[in-house]
């Protein structure tokens, strides 16, 4: 069976990202003897032409599309970015009768509404490595599809609950051949996305990761990770972005991974995302020795009461300690603040800004207002406070921002960032 895989993301906000999720799916399909072709629309000067040419040369029996982003998640520069995907699906229909199946992180937050909005034939919520090949075999053999985990059909909604992959040994890490790098970004210093764990149990009040990856942490084989990183390094890629939601969780795995990187002696530089709760100095030291150059420190507030509102399981002392250790071992840090959420006042905003200054990180990213995702505590609060309608499916972005603070907050943050060169707002 021939399967065309399309990465629909053309956004370069923050940095151009490679379609790692689709590459995992590609590797799983190839391992099960499907004939695949993967295209990345990020690379296309003319997406319509590329689709037409690829479909008429390859004649796919099924088309899988990865939907990463729904919107820019930014109250100041709001942007709904699903419409180009909708157009692309209509283009595919012009040239092929093959069923169109969508998946990906953005899609998984809105499995029903995004499927209806985009007009695809089927959607798979969550991981694609097991569910997608299973669905394709059912389609190929004209069998019922009702046992495919995470499957959604138009107007029918969920057909079967998604199942998180627990047997991670069965997942093939994508190698460079599964993750083509567009010519347009090949020459630049590219941070290859790399994943060693899935799922996050931390349950922050505003976060959608539970809908995408589930709450159970699943770990990949460290040996397989090292072999894959070595293969990338041999192919000339030496910069990696660990996309794991919380690189340091569980701590024992994070340390073992760093130990393995150090003994493998692969010369790579990497970045990751840290959850700053009770991080031990030995881990930070090993991260530095293993090639960690920069971490995203997403603490979001410098006030303990607001951290509790966000359901963060750390406090400002934990953040301060983590930040000091990172400095000691020469790892650059990007500090994040997310201001204007539940419980925020002018005083808590000023305290957060002072806290950020006191840490003096290498770079700062400030967000005002918080994107409201379905099935989160923030959505419940927003409904209670009358900010959103209980029936709002939230596909079109809505933000929580304390109304009485909004104008003042935006003005204050503009002023604050003007004086600081290392600050992105
Ligand atoms: C790491 C990350 C980043 C990094 C990326 C680094 C890099 N080099 O890749 C950085 C910090 C740069 C980043 C930036 C942004 N991000 Co981001 N990011 C993530 C994060 C945490 C992980 C994504 C990832 O790589 N996952 C690992 C891969 C393996 O998983 P996956 O893609 O989900 O794929 C699996 C399944 O989805 C499925 N699947 C995937 N494709 C397909 C296709 C088919 C057909 C099928 C069946 C299945 C399937 O199978 C795959 C394997 O199991 C997610 C949150 C999350 N937990 O998913 C947010 C997330 C994707 N980001 C998001 C956003 C909004 C952004 C930004 C727009 C933010 C901003 N304003 O800067 C930018 C956009 C960047 C861009 N140019 O596109 C949102 C998207 C939702 C939305 N509202 O649009 C998410 C979901 C976070 C959230 N808020 O909920 N991001
Ligand atoms: S730690 Fe990160 S991924 Fe996990 S719930 Fe909190 S914000 Fe989401």
């Amino acid at each position: 069976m021939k399967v065309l895989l399309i990465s629909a993301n053309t956004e370069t906000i923050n940095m151009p990202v490679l379609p790692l999720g689709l590459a995992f799916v590609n590797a799983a399909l190839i391992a099960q003897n499907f004939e695949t072709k993967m295209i990345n629309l990020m690379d296309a000067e003319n997406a319509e032409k590329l689709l037409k040419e690829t479909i008429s040369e390859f004649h796919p029996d099924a088309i899988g599309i990865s939907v990463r982003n729904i919107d820019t998640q930014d109250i100041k520069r709001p942007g709904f970015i699903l419409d180009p995907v909708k157009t692309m699906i209509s283009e595919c229909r012009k040239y092929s009768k093959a069923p169109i199946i969508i998946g990906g992180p953005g899609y998984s937050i809105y499995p029903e509404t995004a499927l209806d909005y985009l007009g695809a034939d089927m959607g798979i919520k969550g991981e694609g490595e097991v569910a997608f090949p299973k669905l394709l075999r059912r389609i190929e053999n004209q069998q019922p599809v009702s046992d495919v985990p995470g499957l959604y059909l138009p107007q029918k909604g969920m057909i079967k609950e998604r199942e998180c992959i627990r047997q991670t040994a069965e997942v093939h890490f994508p190698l460079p051949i599964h993750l083509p790098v567009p010519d347009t970004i090949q020459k630049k210093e590219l941070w290859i996305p790399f994943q060693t764990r899935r799922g996050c149990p931390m349950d922050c009040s505003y976060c959608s990761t539970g809908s995408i990856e589930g709450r159970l942490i699943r770990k990949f084989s460290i040996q397989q990770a090292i072999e894959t990183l070595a293969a990338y390094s041999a192919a000339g890629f030496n910069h990696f972005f660990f996309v794991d939601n919380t690189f340091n969780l569980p701590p024992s795995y994070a340390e073992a991974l760093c130990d393995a990187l150090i003994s493998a002696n692969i010369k790579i530089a990497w970045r990751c995302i840290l959850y700053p709760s009770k991080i031990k100095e030995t881990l930070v030291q090993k991260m530095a020795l293993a090639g960690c150059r920069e971490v995203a420190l997403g603490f979001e507030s410098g006030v303990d009461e607001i951290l509790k509102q966000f359901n963060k399981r750390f406090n400002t002392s934990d953040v301060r300690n983590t930040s000091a250790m990172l400095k000691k071992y020469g790892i650059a840090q990007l500090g994040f603040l997310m201001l204007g959420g539940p419980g925020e006042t002018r005083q808590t905003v000023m305290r957060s800004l002072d806290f950020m200054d006191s840490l003096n990180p290498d770079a700062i990213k400030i967000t005002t207002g918080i994107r409201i995702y379905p099935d989160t505590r923030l959505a419940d609060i927003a409904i209670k406070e009358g900010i959103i309608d209980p029936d709002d499916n939230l596909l079109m972005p809505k933000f929580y921002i304390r109304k009485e603070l909004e104008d003042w907050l935006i003005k204050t943050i503009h002023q604050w960032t003007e004086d600081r060169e290392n600050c992105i707002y």
Side-chain angles (χ1 to χ4, degrees):
M1 187 179 199
K2 292 207 241 176
V3 189
L4 175 62
L5 298 172
I6 305 174
S7 170
N9 183 22
T10 54
E11 283 305 322
T12 50
I13 319 170
N14 198 320
M15 64 171 75
V17 300
L18 294 185
L20 176 66
L22 196 62
F24 267 107
V25 173
N26 193 15
L29 291 176
I30 291 172
Q32 293 191 38
N33 299 320
F34 288 91
E35 188 180 341
T36 68
K37 183 161 186 63
M38 179 160 152
I39 56 172
N40 185 347
L41 295 192
M42 185 85 77
D43 201 19
E45 267 174 37
N46 181 335
E48 192 185 334
K49 189 163 166 262
L50 178 68
L51 283 175
K52 186 178 175 190
E53 283 172 3
T54 312
I55 291 174
S56 40
E57 275 164 32
F58 185 62
H59 298 295
D61 301 303
I63 300 177
I65 300 177
S66 187
V67 180
R68 183 195 197 276
N69 299 327
I70 304 288
D71 63 289
T72 54
Q73 207 180 243
D74 186 343
I75 200 171
K76 295 185 326 309
R77 287 172 284 268
F80 181 69
I81 44 189
L82 266 195
D83 284 335
V85 185
K86 195 173 177 161
T87 313
M88 190 197 55
I89 290 175
S90 322
E91 289 297 321
C92 289
R93 294 222 189 273
K94 272 196 215 161
Y95 311 116
S96 170
K97 291 201 162 37
I100 299 177
I101 302 110
I102 52 178
Y107 170 70
S108 297
I109 308 173
Y110 303 97
E112 272 189 69
T113 39
L115 182 60
D116 289 342
Y117 186 85
L118 292 171
D121 298 304
M122 302 175 189
I124 290 179
K125 175 182 166 87
E127 291 154 297
E129 292 95 335
V130 172
F132 194 39
K134 189 168 185 172
L135 173 67
L136 294 171
R137 288 287 178 230
R138 296 282 182 274
I139 295 173
E140 188 177 28
N141 299 322
Q142 298 180 349
Q143 290 167 330
V145 291
S146 51
D147 64 342
V148 175
L151 182 69
Y152 283 72
L153 295 178
Q155 278 86 51
K156 293 197 177 134
M158 186 177 75
I159 302 302
K160 191 170 189 287
E161 191 93 47
R162 58 112 177 244
E163 282 162 23
C164 291
I165 300 171
R166 286 167 188 248
Q167 301 302 321
T168 51
E170 288 168 16
V171 173
H172 300 263
F173 272 95
L175 289 161
I177 46 155
H178 303 117
L179 187 60
V181 177
D183 292 341
T184 40
I185 54 174
Q186 195 149 23
K187 306 267 162 1
K188 294 188 201 151
E189 191 182 82
L190 176 67
W191 296 87
I192 300 282
F194 198 78
Q195 188 183 43
T196 60
R197 279 147 289 171
R198 286 189 186 155
C200 182
M202 303 321 285
D203 195 19
C204 299
S205 65
Y206 51 86
C207 179
S208 63
T209 289
S211 310
I212 305 165
E213 298 185 13
R215 298 242 168 93
L216 182 73
I217 295 197
R218 282 122 340 105
K219 301 167 279 187
F220 290 120
S221 140
I222 290 181
Q223 194 195 331
Q224 215 197 332
I226 299 295
E227 284 166 11
T228 312
L229 287 168
Y232 275 100
S233 180
F237 298 107
N238 291 305
H239 291 79
F240 296 89
F241 192 123
F242 281 89
V243 297
D244 307 354
N245 297 295
T246 49
F247 181 84
N248 53 308
L249 297 180
S252 55
Y253 181 97
E255 273 204 37
L257 178 62
C258 290
D259 285 339
L261 278 167
I262 296 163
S263 28
N265 199 24
I266 325 169
K267 298 279 174 258
I268 59 166
W270 50 275
R271 301 160 68 156
C272 68
I273 305 164
L274 280 191
Y275 185 82
S277 66
K278 313 271 176 294
I279 296 179
K280 287 197 188 137
E281 185 163 345
T282 45
L283 174 61
V284 180
Q285 185 178 23
K286 286 178 182 182
M287 284 168 60
L289 286 171
C292 181
R293 296 286 170 265
E294 186 186 302
V295 304
L297 211 50
F299 51 89
E300 317 298 0
S301 173
V303 176
D304 287 333
E305 301 89 85
I306 303 291
L307 291 176
K308 281 200 192 113
Q309 287 271 3
F310 287 152
N311 197 31
K312 296 285 180 192
R313 296 153 202 218
F314 55 78
N315 58 31
T316 44
S317 319
D318 295 320
V319 179
R320 195 175 289 292
N321 290 341
T322 306
S323 172
M325 287 188 288
L326 291 167
K327 278 214 170 86
K328 180 170 172 189
Y329 291 100
I331 299 176
Q333 50 191 292
L334 171 59
F336 286 79
L337 287 178
M338 200 160 65
L339 303 172
E344 195 85 271
T345 62
R346 288 188 185 206
Q347 288 74 23
T348 56
V349 168
M350 295 318 291
R351 281 166 63 195
S352 280
L353 295 174
D354 290 346
F355 180 74
M356 185 61 98
D357 266 342
S358 74
L359 297 183
N360 190 22
D362 301 87
I364 298 169
K365 167 89 177 106
I366 300 187
T367 309
T368 46
I370 310 173
R371 166 67 151 109
I372 307 169
Y373 287 108
D375 306 320
T376 59
R377 289 183 211 196
L378 184 68
D380 295 340
I381 297 172
I383 292 170
K384 263 197 214 120
E385 295 183 8
I387 294 174
I388 53 168
D389 194 273
D391 301 327
D392 193 332
N393 61 36
L394 298 171
L395 185 68
M396 296 293 161
K398 296 274 166 57
F399 294 85
Y400 184 104
I401 185 155
R402 293 204 66 82
K403 270 282 155 249
E404 69 278 14
L405 284 184
E406 190 167 358
D407 295 341
W408 171 85
L409 182 59
I410 292 174
K411 213 169 103 206
T412 305
I413 302 304
H414 266 302
Q415 265 166 11
W416 196 83
T417 49
E418 260 170 28
D419 301 338
R420 291 162 182 79
E421 276 180 3
N422 61 344
C423 189
I424 313 159
Y425 174 50

